[in-house]
Amino acid sequence: MAMAHTIPVAVLFVSVLKVKVSAEFNISVNPSPVAMVTVGSMLWLTCTFDLDGGTLGQLTWRYQDGGIVGSALPTASPPCSTFGPELYIVDCDDLISNKVRLGIRHPVHNDTYNCSVYLSNYTLIGPVSTQVYVIVPVTSVEIQPQTEGSIDIIENLQTQLTCVTNTDRPPARIYWSVGGLNLTSNSVSTVKSTAGGLYSTSSTLTFITKRHMDGEELMCSASNTGEHILANQTLVIKIMHVPDLSVFPTKDPFVVIEGQTNVTLTCVVTGAYPPITYLRWTKNGTTVSNTGVFNFPAITPMHAGIFTCSAYNGVGTPSSKNVTLNILSSPTKPNIIGFTEVTSSTLTVEWKPSNHGYMANIFTITHGCLNCTIIESSFVNMTDSKTYSATLTKLVPQSLYSLNITAVNKAGPSSPLELVVSTPADTCPTPLQRLSPSSVPLLVVGVILITVAVAVFGVSIFIYRKSRSRSGNQQDIPKIPVKFSRQQQPTIDRQQGHLDINQGNNYQELDPNDFSKPSPYEFLPEGGDESSFPNDRDRYEPVDIGQGHAYLQVCDEGNIEYANT
């Protein structure tokens, strides 16, 4: 490491390296113009001369004030002598080689020494001078602010540390490292002059503290004699950071079945410096546990909500983690919409989830005829649909079926939606059957024939009834208009016997063939929502066939489609 920049400018111009007295004579001092020596060491100066065949009369070493400190006289014995032997030594061992050395026991910084040569004819050659530069090595550095062995630094904080050397010469260079990584480029150094021609160097390091630096060594080192490090100080970095938390269970939201026991929320501090001052569980700002563990009693819907674990150690703001607790209750039973596409062997049932049935996973459907021992089941997966349907096949015609629909989730099943439905006989027209173009003429002809038959049949009954009225021996009875109806007449109490047509003469005898048979179909809604199909009510004809069952029949002749509900 070059030291020219550390030497006072005046030293650079003290003297000339060589003095050329004539073309034949020269003299030099080594080292020159500056002789560097470490404080406490002896400094040796060498004066070399070339007399070009001439004879040496005397060589003198002089101090900067002109006083002689040593000399060499070839004719003397011994040839070399000193003035003040406790301070200097003159070495004439190489006099025969035209070299004389001066040893300075206690060199003083900036002192100047010169060498002069006299020929035997008293001709003076010189003097040639050199200046003493005493190196004072850096011996210590100090990291500020002062700490003992370790230094606490807050995580992710821009930090500035300063390293200062003791007084030295020349000015020292300071190096920084963290965990062996050189950070000197992040520092700025300044040099300050002190008494006695000494210097003090300070360097300020600016860096962002990171968690990975925790436990690493922070080192400030200095040197003023080259790259060799002469002084250093090492501190262990301790990163101050907010608490690190882990909560269990790790799933969020945490779903718990209503009624479940032994449910626990656990919060663990996995790292914190300095140590935490508190660790607690809260819900809606209310503390429920002052430890990292919260044990629930039997789970109820009231326990649902957001639970927060928080911890604090004085660094920054408290650390926190949330767990959302969802309580899973059994769903409520679905709501019936109705039946569609009912035939003698198939039917389709439609339903929708109840208002609290959104947590269902699947719907199970079981059905079986009332006189059968085999119960069949199927399921429908829960989706985002608002309505669901299932089609049952291979049913027995003209039979009553028990049908249950249940919503199921992890908490269990809902109460079942219980339905009873009747399948029609095989004689019922094919459901959803469309007329082909070739059958239209046949349908027209059939309608015409039926119309004619009804007209003729109606006239014949009228004539028959009228003739009986005239031929009988009865008295004249006021004529009452007769209206024919396809509706079933009221049932007559069997205990009253047959109705006497002579009583009051208010009744006329009607042909029993004029009455339509009651419908064999039944629809028994249980718990269903009738508001979902109010317009269909006008299309149903209630018929009582006994056993307490009310049957409903609907036929949409306009579309040639038949459905029984």
Side-chain angles (χ1 to χ4, degrees):
M1 177 177 170
M3 296 297 177
H5 66 283
T6 63
I7 301 173
V9 177
V11 176
L12 301 178
F13 304 98
V14 173
S15 61
V16 182
L17 290 175
K18 291 185 178 181
V19 177
K20 191 75 172 180
V21 179
S22 65
E24 295 82 10
F25 308 121
N26 61 70
I27 183 175
S28 64
V29 173
N30 187 44
S32 178
V34 175
M36 302 186 70
V37 63
T38 302
V39 62
S41 301
M42 178 178 287
L43 173 62
W44 286 96
L45 303 177
T46 301
C47 183
T48 304
F49 52 91
D50 182 4
L51 303 181
D52 194 20
T55 303
L56 174 63
Q58 186 179 10
L59 183 147
T60 59
W61 285 100
R62 297 179 182 271
Y63 186 58
Q64 58 192 16
D65 60 0
I68 298 176
V69 297
S71 65
L73 185 61
T75 58
S77 181
C80 292
S81 60
T82 60
F83 299 88
E86 71 282 357
L87 298 177
Y88 305 101
I89 299 174
V90 177
D91 179 12
C92 291
D93 291 344
D94 289 334
L95 182 59
I96 194 172
S97 301
N98 298 334
K99 295 179 180 181
V100 177
R101 295 198 309 161
L102 174 66
I104 306 172
R105 296 182 185 276
H106 303 287
V108 177
H109 184 66
N110 284 339
D111 282 354
T112 301
Y113 294 88
N114 60 67
C115 174
S116 300
V117 173
Y118 294 88
L119 298 179
S120 57
N121 59 3
Y122 302 105
T123 300
L124 175 63
I125 303 173
V128 177
S129 301
T130 188
Q131 185 179 25
V132 176
Y133 189 92
V134 178
I135 298 174
V136 179
V138 57
T139 57
S140 65
V141 292
E142 181 181 83
I143 298 176
Q144 299 174 351
Q146 297 181 6
T147 57
E148 284 290 338
S150 63
I151 182 170
D152 294 340
I153 308 175
I154 298 178
E155 181 183 17
N156 296 324
L157 182 68
Q158 179 171 290
T159 303
Q160 287 189 337
L161 299 175
T162 301
C163 184
V164 181
T165 68
N166 66 318
T167 54
D168 50 51
R169 187 190 306 115
R173 177 172 174 79
I174 295 178
Y175 305 88
W176 290 96
S177 65
V178 173
L181 179 65
N182 193 336
L183 297 182
T184 306
S185 59
N186 295 341
S187 64
V188 177
S189 297
T190 58
V191 178
K192 180 181 178 181
S193 298
T194 62
L198 300 176
Y199 305 92
S200 176
T201 304
S202 64
S203 175
T204 300
L205 172 67
T206 302
F207 67 109
I208 303 296
T209 54
K210 297 297 181 181
R211 183 73 65 88
H212 68 82
M213 295 180 179
D214 187 57
E216 299 285 0
E217 286 188 344
L218 169 71
M219 178 180 291
C220 168
S221 54
S223 174
N224 66 341
T225 58
E227 296 298 328
H228 182 64
I229 300 301
L230 300 179
N232 62 67
Q233 182 181 3
T234 300
L235 298 176
V236 176
I237 295 178
K238 301 186 72 173
I239 300 297
M240 303 173 65
H241 60 89
V242 298
D244 297 324
L245 302 179
S246 293
V247 294
F248 302 94
T250 57
K251 290 184 178 180
D252 190 26
F254 177 39
V255 180
V256 182
I257 297 175
E258 182 180 359
Q260 185 175 342
T261 58
N262 299 324
V263 177
T264 301
L265 296 180
T266 304
C267 185
V268 178
V269 178
T270 58
Y273 181 74
I276 61 172
T277 55
Y278 71 75
L279 175 66
R280 62 173 67 113
W281 280 103
T282 59
K283 180 185 179 185
N284 299 328
T286 301
T287 300
V288 296
S289 173
N290 284 314
T291 66
V293 178
F294 177 49
N295 295 310
F296 289 89
I299 293 295
T300 68
M302 297 295 295
H303 291 127
I306 299 176
F307 290 81
T308 301
C309 172
S310 58
Y312 187 59
N313 65 344
V315 178
T317 58
S319 300
S320 63
K321 278 197 172 183
N322 295 334
V323 174
T324 301
L325 186 66
N326 287 346
I327 308 303
L328 182 61
S329 302
S330 299
T332 53
K333 69 178 180 180
N335 294 326
I336 185 66
I337 296 178
F339 294 89
T340 62
E341 304 178 12
V342 180
T343 72
S344 61
S345 61
T346 64
L347 65 84
T348 298
V349 60
E350 292 185 353
W351 71 92
K352 63 180 179 180
S354 64
N355 293 336
H356 300 286
Y358 60 92
M359 284 188 176
N361 299 120
I362 61 172
F363 295 100
T364 61
I365 303 98
T366 61
H367 71 279
C369 61
L370 296 183
N371 297 324
C372 300
T373 58
I374 299 177
I375 303 297
E376 298 187 25
S377 62
S378 59
F379 68 91
V380 175
N381 287 322
M382 183 76 171
T383 63
D384 293 332
S385 177
K386 295 182 180 179
T387 62
Y388 297 84
S389 65
T391 299
L392 310 181
T393 60
K394 299 181 180 180
L395 304 180
V396 179
Q398 204 169 1
S399 299
L400 289 177
Y401 274 87
S402 174
L403 173 64
N404 291 345
I405 303 176
T406 306
V408 182
N409 64 10
K410 291 183 178 180
S414 68
S415 57
L417 171 63
E418 299 178 343
L419 306 170
V420 175
V421 61
S422 175
T423 56
D426 287 334
T427 57
C428 188
T430 303
L432 301 181
Q433 181 179 1
R434 302 294 180 180
L435 293 178
S436 63
S438 63
S439 63
V440 172
L442 295 177
L443 176 62
V444 173
V445 173
V447 171
I448 294 173
L449 292 176
I450 293 173
T451 304
V452 173
V454 171
V456 173
F457 179 72
V459 172
S460 65
I461 294 176
F462 178 78
I463 294 173
Y464 168 75
R465 289 174 179 168
K466 188 173 183 180
S467 65
R468 287 191 59 186
S469 174
R470 289 182 179 182
S471 62
N473 295 325
Q474 300 175 0
Q475 299 179 356
D476 292 336
I477 299 174
K479 297 180 179 181
I480 300 174
V482 178
K483 296 183 180 179
F484 298 98
S485 173
R486 294 184 60 83
Q487 295 182 354
Q488 186 177 4
Q489 300 302 309
T491 303
I492 302 174
D493 190 349
R494 295 183 180 273
Q495 294 179 359
Q496 294 179 358
H498 296 286
L499 176 65
D500 187 355
I501 62 174
N502 295 323
Q503 295 180 3
N505 295 325
N506 294 326
Y507 298 90
Q508 298 185 31
E509 183 179 353
L510 300 179
D511 190 342
N513 294 325
D514 290 342
F515 301 105
S516 60
K517 294 181 179 181
S519 171
Y521 308 129
E522 178 188 42
F523 170 55
L524 299 177
E526 296 187 11
D529 186 1
E530 295 183 358
S531 63
S532 63
F533 43 94
N535 296 329
D536 292 341
R537 285 299 185 186
D538 296 337
R539 301 169 55 209
Y540 297 130
E541 177 184 4
V543 182
D544 187 358
I545 65 171
Q547 298 180 355
H549 296 299
Y551 289 80
L552 298 180
Q553 179 183 29
V554 57
C555 286
D556 189 347
E557 297 180 357
N559 294 325
I560 317 301
E561 297 178 358
Y562 296 86
N564 299 288
T565 62

